[in-house]
Amino acid sequence: MADPTEDLLIRRAVAGDRDAQAALWAWARRFVAAVLVGAGAHESEVQDLVQETAIAFTRGIPALREPAAFRGWLRTLAQNSLRAARRRAPAVPLASEPPAPDHDAFADADEVQAVRRALAELPDPLREALVLKAVEGLSQRAIAAVLGVPETTVESRLARARRALRAALARGRALCGTECPNGRNHEELR
Amino acid sequence: MNTFPHPEDPEAVALARVVAREDDASDWDLLHAIAARDDGVWRRLALALHDDARLRAALRPVLAAADEVALPAAPARLPSRKARLAAAGAVAAAALACAALCLLPERRAANPTDPAEHHELPRIVLQARPAPGGRGTEVVWLRRTLERAVVDRVFELGTDEYGEPRPRPVDAARFAGPVRF
C-alpha cells in the first residue's frame, strides 16, 4: 500500500489503536464485500460474511506484520469466511432466489438481477478482477498486488471479463425477448 | 501506458482500459484506427461504459449492506495466543497469591479476548495537566473492562489448615449484586 496515510493507519491499527482499527475497517469493509462478491457470494449472505470477516479482522490485525500486505491479508480473511459458510451450507442456486425485495421498482429489480446473473456466469478470476475494478476502483497495479499476479494478467482478465459480461448480458436480453426490463432488448453480441 | 503484450483482442483491452479510466493516447489511437474500418467500435465502447455503470448500480446495495457492519466491541489490543497463554499464567499466579474471592470457571476457560465476552468501557480521565518539563500534557485515565463468563460452579479462593490456597465452592446468590473481589 503506497499511500502513507493508509500505511500509518494500518501501523496504528496493528499497534492496537482501537480508533485506527475502526477507521481502517470503515475503509476496508467495501473491499471485503467486493472480494466476497468476486468470489461468488450472494447478496443475501454478504452482510453476514462481512460481519464474520470483521471479527477475524479484530482478532488478526495485531499479528499483521507488513502493512503492504494488508489488502491481500484481508482478502484471505474474506475468502476464509466464505469457505467456512460453504462448508456449513452450500450456495443457493441463483435461479431459485427471489428478486431483491428492497427495490422500489420491479424494473429496477429485474435489471439488478439480470446484471448479477450475468456476473455469476463469469469464471471466478475474471469476476474478482472485474468487481475489484468496478466497485472498488482499484488500479490494475493494486489489483495485481492483491491477487498476487502480474499486472499484465490483471489487464488481460479485465478485458476478458468485460467482454464476457457483455456477452452474458446480451444472452439475457436474447432470452427475455421483448419482455426485457425497461424495454432495452436491442443489444447484440459482437 | 498500454505497453503489455496481450494475447487478447487489442480492441477489448483498449475498451477495458477506457472504461477503467486507465487509458492513454495509444488506446485512443487504436480505437480511431479500428473505427476507420469499423465505426461500430464506438457503439461497443458505449455498451462497455453502460455495462460498467449497470454493474456498479447492481452492486451498490451490497456495498451499502457492508457499510452497516462495524467492528465488534473488543479490547484495544487482542494479544497473540502466546501472549494470552502467558497472561493466563500470570492470572493464575496472581489468583494463588491472593486470598481474595475468585471466580473459577470449571466447565471451560472463558476466553477473555472474545469480543462477546470482553468489553472495554469508555476511559475516565482523572487528571490532565502540563507535563513536568513543560512539554506536552500528562494525562491520567482509568481503563475499565467489563468481562463475562458462563461457569458451572462458583468458587472462592481461601486457605486450608496449612495456610495453602484452596478453592472452595460458594453460593452464586452471593454475587447477585455488585461485589468487590
Side-chain angles (χ1 to χ4, degrees), chain B residues 93-112:
Chain B
L96 289 173
C98 75
L101 187 66
C102 297
L103 299 175
L104 301 180
E106 186 178 72
R107 184 172 60 191
R108 66 180 176 85
N111 179 2

Side-chain angles (χ1 to χ4, degrees), chain B residues 41-158:
Chain B
V41 67
W42 302 127
R43 181 174 181 278
R44 293 192 288 275
L45 174 58
L47 285 173
L49 289 166
H50 186 207
D51 289 346
D52 188 63
R54 293 167 69 189
L55 177 62
R56 283 186 278 113
L59 295 179
R60 201 168 291 137
V62 181
L63 301 178
D67 283 343
E68 296 174 9
V69 178
L71 284 185
R77 179 165 189 163
L78 293 172
S80 65
R81 178 179 173 80
K82 186 178 177 182
R84 286 204 305 269
L85 289 173
V91 168
L96 289 173
C98 75
L101 187 66
C102 297
L103 299 175
L104 301 180
E106 186 178 72
R107 184 172 60 191
R108 66 180 176 85
N111 179 2
T113 62
D114 188 331
E117 307 284 335
H118 188 101
H119 304 272
E120 184 174 346
L121 302 176
R123 299 167 199 176
I124 298 175
V125 176
L126 302 177
Q127 187 179 57
R129 63 179 183 181
R135 293 188 61 190
T137 301
E138 180 187 71
V139 182
V140 179
W141 70 85
L142 179 66
R143 191 189 293 269
R144 302 176 299 166
T145 305
L146 179 68
E147 295 183 78
R148 172 184 176 274
V150 177
V151 297
D152 287 329
R153 298 171 67 190
V154 182
F155 293 81
E156 69 176 354
L157 194 60

